[in-house]
Amino acid sequence: MSTVILVTGGTGLVGKAMEYVIENEPAGSRFGKRPDEKWIFASSSDGDLRDLEQTRKLFEKYKPTHVIHLAAMVGGLFKNMKYKLTFLRNNILINDNVLHSCYEFKVQKVISCLSTCVFPDKVEYPLTELTIHNGPPHESNFGYAHAKRMVDVQNHAYKEEFGCNFTSAIPTNVFGPHDNYDLEDAHVIPALLHKCYLAKKNGTPFIVGGSGKPLRQFIYSRDLANLFIWQLREYDSVPPSSFAGGGSHTRIFPAVGEDEEVTIKEVADAIVKAVGFEGSYSFDTSRADGQYRKPASNKKLLSLIGDFKFTPFDEALAESAKWFLDNYNNARIGDVPEASK
Ligand code: NAP
Ligand code: GDP
């Protein structure tokens, strides 16, 4: 086997989507399985990546030639607001251990998953790779954002000092099957799917946090998986300048078009339809809205990849809702109050 691809965080939302695509696309096709590749999807039970020795052991065991680094402490707006230091520390530790192990084990290519949360709050839109470091991130998730930003700095430094091919993808909000559906800690789509499901089942109110006005750009996890596979196999050119003020490593924005931003209210409407909830719903405006918007441009991505179709939002949401409803008993639903069970 000439290529061993280790996917850290291989059991999460994005990791499961990568596994699905590798297993379900036709073998030998652009995104399907290839005979010369071995894919390893690691979970935290294979090694706690906050610990350097456990991280080294994982690398020793699999000897990856390529790494897609997804593992992270992840959560929606409300979890980010509560645990800023823990997000900062856990993600700094995970990223430092993974990247340094990649260096020590001479991994040929690393793609780390960042997030459009890393961008400055006050910045020109659409986001481009030149503006990541040009001001503080939004206050609500500064712990997570600073830890993730540092990966961009580390990639640059590993490239400059050691010539490592360490790069990143910066996706917008992601959703799909195998999400985290915790009522309080999850991202907006899985949290609202779960809330709406319980409201329908129990005949209770469906309450959406905040004003419903913020805008988000959502990417379906299986589309994102395709883009990671493309970036791993096909995209290796180094644009002349990408680090703020010049630099040498590549970054990609997996995102739908800028014109496909949707409001949180539109998300709630789509969820009501997908779940078949017939009551009315309300907004709890005492809850935070978070960043108003953070649109990214996918123009560079599309010019590089050529022919690529994103799954339409409603179709992807319907598939995700179906997966959640079919798998409720085995999904990551977190703590559900006794009265709602
Ligand atoms: P997720 O569903 O919460 O999955 C997280 C994954 O990381 C799981 O496989 C988990 O393993 C693993 N993990 C967490 N802590 C670990 C540790 N200490 N040691 C080893 N593994 C650990 O997250 P996701 O949504 O798939 O996110 C994947 C990547 O996409 C992350 O880097 C995230 O920052 C980025 N991203 C996500 C979104 C989004 O909207 N979800 C948006 C932009 C970027 P276990 O299953 O064993 O717990
Ligand atoms: P963000 O894009 O990093 O802010 O992450 P989220 O996926 O958590 O989306 C946050 C947006 O959805 C904010 O405008 C929230 O006010 C809104 N929202 C509405 N209801 C919920 C909910 O139940 N959970 C979460 N996480 N956000 C919600």
Side-chain angles (χ1 to χ4, degrees), residues 125-127 217 255-261 293 295-299:
Y125 293 116
L127 303 173
Q217 225 174 343
V256 298
E258 278 169 74
D259 54 346
E260 290 180 58
E261 273 184 301
R293 64 192 288 250
S297 166
N298 66 8
K299 280 201 184 110

Side-chain angles (χ1 to χ4, degrees), residues 282-333:
S282 57
F283 293 96
D284 177 358
T285 52
S286 70
R287 301 219 73 184
D289 267 343
Q291 205 161 354
Y292 178 60
R293 64 192 288 250
K294 41 187 168 179
S297 166
N298 66 8
K299 280 201 184 110
K300 174 178 161 188
L301 170 75
L302 292 180
S303 73
L304 291 165
I305 195 170
D307 183 31
F308 187 80
K309 278 204 174 53
F310 289 93
T311 312
F313 179 72
D314 284 340
E315 189 181 322
L317 188 70
E319 279 182 23
S320 307
K322 181 170 178 350
W323 187 90
F324 170 64
L325 300 172
D326 290 349
N327 293 278
Y328 186 79
N329 292 329
N330 301 315
R332 289 184 285 166
I333 56 171

Side-chain angles (χ1 to χ4, degrees), residues 218-232:
F218 292 96
I219 182 165
Y220 188 36
S221 57
R222 290 176 182 169
D223 292 346
L224 177 58
N226 288 337
L227 293 171
F228 268 116
I229 294 164
W230 164 78
Q231 190 177 358
L232 181 86

Side-chain angles (χ1 to χ4, degrees), residues 96-276:
D96 190 50
N97 291 336
V98 168
L99 291 180
H100 205 64
S101 299
C102 288
Y103 161 67
E104 287 181 339
F105 286 80
K106 299 188 172 47
V107 171
Q108 294 163 28
K109 181 170 182 176
V110 182
I111 307 172
S112 294
C113 189
L114 307 189
S115 157
T116 48
C117 294
V118 304
F119 277 87
D121 182 31
K122 297 192 173 38
V123 69
E124 229 174 80
Y125 293 116
L127 303 173
T128 81
E129 55 195 8
L130 296 173
T131 55
I132 297 179
H133 303 283
N134 290 1
H138 192 265
E139 159 64 24
S140 59
N141 55 25
F142 83 81
Y144 173 80
H146 275 297
K148 287 269 173 185
R149 259 186 201 195
M150 203 45 64
V151 172
D152 192 64
V153 175
Q154 287 170 292
N155 284 344
H156 180 67
Y158 273 106
K159 177 100 191 174
E160 277 226 341
E161 190 170 338
F162 299 120
C164 298
N165 186 9
F166 290 4
T167 180
S168 63
I170 314 181
T172 61
N173 294 47
V174 189
F175 70 104
H178 297 277
D179 215 327
N180 169 12
Y181 302 90
D182 188 287
L183 291 166
E184 188 56 25
D185 288 349
H187 284 101
V188 59
I189 290 184
L192 291 186
L193 270 174
H194 195 175
K195 287 175 184 173
C196 190
Y197 161 79
L198 292 177
K200 181 182 173 193
K201 180 166 85 82
N202 299 324
T204 49
F206 173 37
I207 299 169
V208 177
S211 67
K213 291 181 184 151
L215 291 146
R216 294 289 183 271
Q217 225 174 343
F218 292 96
I219 182 165
Y220 188 36
S221 57
R222 290 176 182 169
D223 292 346
L224 177 58
N226 288 337
L227 293 171
F228 268 116
I229 294 164
W230 164 78
Q231 190 177 358
L232 181 86
R233 289 175 177 163
E234 298 184 44
Y235 181 56
D236 235 344
S237 68
V238 177
S241 126
S242 50
F243 198 72
S248 49
H249 65 96
T250 59
R251 306 180 190 94
I252 287 291
F253 276 110
V256 298
E258 278 169 74
D259 54 346
E260 290 180 58
E261 273 184 301
V262 288
T263 64
I264 299 300
K265 181 179 184 311
E266 286 169 322
V267 170
D269 288 339
I271 285 175
V272 161
K273 193 169 149 212
V275 172

